Amino acid sequence: MWDGSENTVVTDRFGNRVVRTVTERSSRRKFRLADTWGWPRMDVEMDFDDYVLARIFSRALEEVEAGEASVTEATGLSREEVKNIVYCCFPLKLIGSLAIDKIKDPEPGVEEGLLRDILLAHACPDSQASVRFAKIVARRCMRDGHLWQELGLAERGELHRLMATHFPRLAAGNKDNMRWKKYLYRTICESEGFALCKSPGCSDCADREACFEPDDPS
């Protein structure tokens, strides 16, 4: 359905009306999961959470195939959580490649545990999806790259939407467009009563560009 602008209004699987932007439609059309697994091409009707999970598991599969991590180590999810997602959302031929029955549950370190706690404390109440994304985001924060890239997302804007959807209070607090990994660590520091940054204020800091995203988050 067309709403009179360049956006498209669609109905998701729960019957909700959702506006898809031109950028969002474009990123979906460009993204195709590995044909080896027969995963479907993204389209505008796909639920956003399913889209993000497909991106994340595609990134995780790269690490599995490279021998860098198991799927639980790549996502931070338990073996049972991975099973539930894969059996529900992805092609059956993917299951064997992930060797789910042969892997162990992840063991978060202290740093990852603190990130989990912050995210879970701000997650949408009674939302299993938010709990899963809290574990995934905390684990992917352990990687060296930008968080949106380590999640396998197409652009920073998709990470903003994910955080606003599942961690709305955290998203509301990030008023100055700080990079999400930096913001999460700063939130941990504030909750523990110490400062990560030596500068008295962000506006006077010489490293401001390293912490804050450009005005255009794309």
Side-chain angles (χ1 to χ4, degrees), residues 66-161:
E68 298 172 353
S70 68
V71 67
T72 53
E73 291 169 342
T75 62
L77 298 173
S78 70
R79 189 170 63 177
E80 195 63 30
E81 287 170 322
V82 170
K83 277 185 178 180
N84 290 339
I85 292 172
V86 172
Y87 277 97
C88 176
C89 302
F90 301 116
L92 294 178
K93 64 175 71 176
L94 176 66
I95 297 171
S97 70
L98 295 177
I100 297 173
D101 293 328
K102 299 179 182 179
I103 58 180
K104 298 179 179 180
D105 287 344
E107 298 180 359
V110 174
E111 187 177 329
E112 182 180 350
L114 290 170
L115 286 165
R116 272 195 183 192
D117 290 345
I118 286 293
L119 288 159
L120 290 171
H122 293 84
C124 291
D126 303 318
S127 171
Q128 187 60 43
S130 295
V131 171
R132 288 173 176 169
F133 281 123
K135 295 178 181 179
I136 292 169
V137 170
R139 174 53 59 101
R140 299 312 294 180
C141 277
M142 298 295 98
R143 300 300 194 264
D144 294 332
H146 292 302
L147 181 56
W148 66 275
Q149 293 173 326
E150 295 295 351
L151 288 167
L153 299 176
E155 58 185 10
R156 285 191 178 95
E158 292 179 345
L159 176 56
H160 286 294
R161 178 174 174 182

